[in-house]
Amino acid sequence: MTDRRPGFILPLVDNVPVILSVDAFGRSYESHRAVDGLSFQLRAGEILGLVGPNGAGKTTTLRTIAGVLPVKEGRITVAGHDLARQEESAKRAMRWIPDDPQPFDALTVLEHLEFTAALYGQRDWRSRADELLARFELSEKRDAFGGELSRGMRQKLAFCCAWIARPALVLMDEPLSGLDPRGIRSAKHEIEALARDGAAVILSSHLLVLIEELATRLLILDRGRKVFEGTLDEARARFPEHSRGSLEEIFFAATGDGSKAP
Ligand code: ATP
């Protein structure tokens, strides 16, 4: 496992360092409560499946952890850095892969990797860049500019940039939505490899089969609140009527089947 930890001691849970800590996080948009009192932790090597119905607060949570939205309520620490007070260090410890990444028009694919590696202090970038481009089937596009890439290619480039940075935390919002079947297969494989290599990963998706396949732990949100956190087996124990059920069945048990008014 590659050591992605900063040069100080992180809190441990079961002897594994806690990479992300979210404590009493909340967010309102005017009078609407989008996220309310959300707390959870994520350890190195874990893949957290973040799921919930439309409007549950997933994107608001991810965008706040990524530093796109300010932390107004609660506390978020990334690799030991307080996101509100040590924003730069916290951001350097993570990468965010949105569902439709927008690369720079004026940089080529290879230049994106060079730029990202420089930003994250990765010196051995060139050979890793070649390897990543081959793994994500982007080698032929190494000299293409950001604006010339298809949606799936932009997504693959976002993966390559995340991988080359060697971040402690990777946040992904519907990361496979633009990929072709071969791209989906290799991305799944690479996400698992990233976590095996010591990164903590949050994977937000409505594709419950994908979450079931990859996530080591689940966080289910509904209308801004956490309704379940734990492994799939723990979810089955919580909802005994679904003791052998799929994540889809658990999802409906935890969030309702939509027949009740919100
Ligand atoms: P989806 O699955 O549809 O992407 P989500 O779980 O990501 O949903 P959010 O996008 O976090 O949900 O939205 C949570 C709530 O906050 C929703 O009720 C949404 O309407 C509201 N919301 C989100 N962004 C804004 C905004 N910029 N202004 C006002 N309300 C917002």
Side-chain angles (χ1 to χ4, degrees):
M1 191 184 267
T2 306
D3 194 351
R4 294 160 187 266
R5 282 169 277 171
F8 54 85
I9 308 288
L10 291 172
L12 301 177
V13 171
D14 295 337
N15 237 6
V16 182
V18 173
I19 301 297
L20 172 68
S21 180
V22 175
D23 190 21
F25 165 61
R27 170 92 195 188
S28 295
Y29 294 104
E30 298 186 349
S31 62
H32 179 71
R33 195 78 179 135
V35 181
D36 191 33
L38 177 62
S39 299
F40 66 95
Q41 293 189 326
L42 187 61
R43 296 174 298 168
E46 285 191 305
I47 301 176
L48 182 74
L50 177 61
V51 296
N54 291 136
K58 304 178 299 294
T59 305
T60 300
T61 302
L62 279 183
R63 286 168 67 89
T64 307
I65 296 170
V68 179
L69 295 173
V71 184
K72 289 187 173 169
E73 271 177 59
R75 185 162 185 255
I76 296 177
T77 58
V78 181
H81 306 288
D82 185 316
L83 188 55
R85 296 177 184 189
Q86 302 159 293
E87 187 181 353
E88 200 182 318
S89 328
K91 282 184 170 176
R92 278 172 67 90
M94 69 175 137
R95 282 295 292 189
W96 151 246
I97 305 182
D99 59 343
D100 189 8
Q102 299 296 328
F104 299 109
D105 284 347
L107 293 185
T108 65
V109 164
L110 196 61
E111 285 165 350
H112 274 86
L113 294 181
E114 182 176 10
F115 176 70
T116 308
L119 209 60
Y120 285 78
Q122 299 290 327
R123 291 201 198 99
D124 61 336
W125 72 276
R126 189 56 211 251
S127 56
R128 290 191 61 231
D130 290 338
E131 188 198 322
L132 282 167
L133 292 176
R135 266 162 42 194
F136 284 95
E137 298 182 314
L138 271 186
S139 301
E140 283 179 18
K141 293 287 175 183
R142 67 197 310 119
D143 298 319
F145 288 97
E148 298 170 353
L149 302 176
S150 72
R151 169 140 190 253
M153 290 169 188
R154 294 201 300 273
Q155 226 147 2
K156 288 177 177 177
L157 175 57
F159 275 104
C160 291
C161 288
W163 267 235
I164 207 154
R166 291 191 193 275
L169 173 66
V170 182
L171 310 170
M172 303 183 187
D173 192 3
E174 294 292 1
L176 309 187
S177 58
L179 299 182
D180 61 20
R182 190 193 297 269
I184 290 175
R185 191 167 65 178
S186 47
K188 287 197 289 198
H189 177 78
E190 296 295 338
I191 291 168
E192 285 181 318
L194 186 74
R196 262 200 314 277
D197 196 31
V201 178
I202 300 186
L203 186 56
S204 178
S205 178
H206 291 300
L207 296 174
L208 298 180
V209 173
L210 169 74
I211 297 285
E212 197 167 347
E213 199 177 328
L214 294 186
T216 54
R217 216 147 54 79
L218 306 167
L219 175 60
I220 306 180
L221 296 184
D222 191 17
R223 288 173 237 158
R225 288 174 177 264
K226 176 166 77 176
V227 292
F228 177 78
E229 182 186 3
T231 63
L232 186 57
D233 282 345
E234 286 164 350
R236 289 177 176 133
R238 165 86 83 83
F239 303 99
E241 68 278 23
H242 300 291
S243 59
R244 312 179 101 200
S246 64
L247 176 55
E248 186 178 270
E249 287 170 87
I250 302 290
F251 180 90
F252 287 119
T255 62
D257 60 9
S259 59
K260 281 177 257 161

